[in-house]
Amino acid sequence: MKIQIIGYSGSGKSTLARKLGEITDIPVLHLDNTHFYGDWQERTVEEQAQIVRDFMAANDSWIIDGNYTSVATERFDMTDMTVFMDFNRWHCFFSAYRRARKYRNTNRPDLPCPDKFDRSFRRWILWDSRKKKFRQKVLRNLNATNGAKIVLKNRRQVDKFLTEFEQSFEK
């Protein structure tokens, strides 16, 4: 099984990926981990793509969380399921704020850098990532996938999806 999770920052992509990984025992790759290293240093798109391709080649099944639409785009063609976390901006903003407080001065499990909630990230969550161009890119990638397309708009839908997924996976 190959699962891609996309969506807005703060929507819970990494949390969902981790939970699906626990249910299925399938390896998870967080694209923030391939993009950033050290103290918010960024890898090139080519370096990121190679990490993602190596991960996909090493695993028959995988879960990848994150957008990074120009990194190893073939992953969208390979998925059996793509989940789009289409949460409202204020939910994402407050989730990211709570997460930053929880991991203040420490690294999150899905990010190799100390978490932060600075002005540019707040702007990204509330405005820049909500521009029509960004949404169109995400929807283009969602529509390019071969497998099931799931759109989740709130926590209740995520909980229902996880319950149904776990029940179907156990069968």
Side-chain angles (χ1 to χ4, degrees):
M1 178 174 284
K2 295 176 172 116
I3 302 172
Q4 174 72 44
I5 302 171
I6 59 177
Y8 296 107
S9 298
S11 62
K13 297 181 302 293
S14 297
T15 301
L16 179 60
R18 188 183 70 252
K19 288 179 180 178
L20 291 175
E22 290 168 2
I23 291 168
T24 61
D25 201 29
I26 293 174
V28 176
L29 178 66
H30 304 283
L31 292 184
D32 281 345
N33 257 331
T34 67
H35 183 80
F36 297 106
Y37 68 96
D39 190 19
W40 294 98
Q41 295 166 309
E42 298 180 43
R43 289 186 175 91
T44 66
V45 170
E46 294 79 21
E47 291 171 318
Q48 295 171 65
Q50 191 57 54
I51 293 168
V52 174
R53 289 183 183 118
D54 290 347
F55 175 79
M56 292 187 304
N59 298 288
D60 293 330
S61 294
W62 43 256
I63 299 169
I64 298 176
D65 108 72
N67 297 312
Y68 298 97
T69 56
S70 59
V71 174
T73 56
E74 65 272 16
R75 73 184 192 269
F76 293 103
D77 296 330
M78 301 169 70
T79 58
D80 300 310
M81 176 189 298
T82 301
V83 179
F84 174 30
M85 307 286 284
D86 190 14
F87 283 42
N88 109 10
R89 74 182 72 214
W90 293 105
H91 172 89
C92 294
F93 181 85
F94 289 113
S95 291
Y97 173 74
R98 284 189 300 273
R99 181 182 66 201
R101 286 182 51 109
K102 178 179 179 180
Y103 291 103
R104 189 175 191 175
N105 300 321
T106 62
N107 295 6
R108 299 190 327 238
D110 58 310
L111 183 67
C113 313
D115 209 341
K116 63 181 179 178
F117 193 68
D118 61 8
R119 175 181 278 176
S120 65
F121 187 51
R122 293 190 304 264
R123 179 181 172 87
W124 170 255
I125 291 172
L126 291 175
W127 292 283
D128 295 342
S129 72
R130 301 300 172 140
K131 290 181 180 173
K132 186 177 181 179
K133 183 178 176 182
F134 179 81
R135 183 171 178 84
Q136 286 175 335
K137 251 197 250 187
V138 171
L139 291 174
R140 209 172 20 254
N141 285 334
L142 175 66
N143 291 326
T145 62
N146 291 320
K149 297 165 180 61
I150 314 274
V151 178
L152 303 173
K153 293 185 171 278
N154 57 50
R155 285 280 159 237
R156 191 176 313 120
Q157 289 180 357
V158 171
D159 293 342
K160 182 179 180 198
F161 167 75
L162 278 170
T163 300
E164 291 172 358
F165 183 87
E166 188 168 18
Q167 289 169 350
S168 69
F169 195 78
E170 291 173 351
K171 293 179 181 177

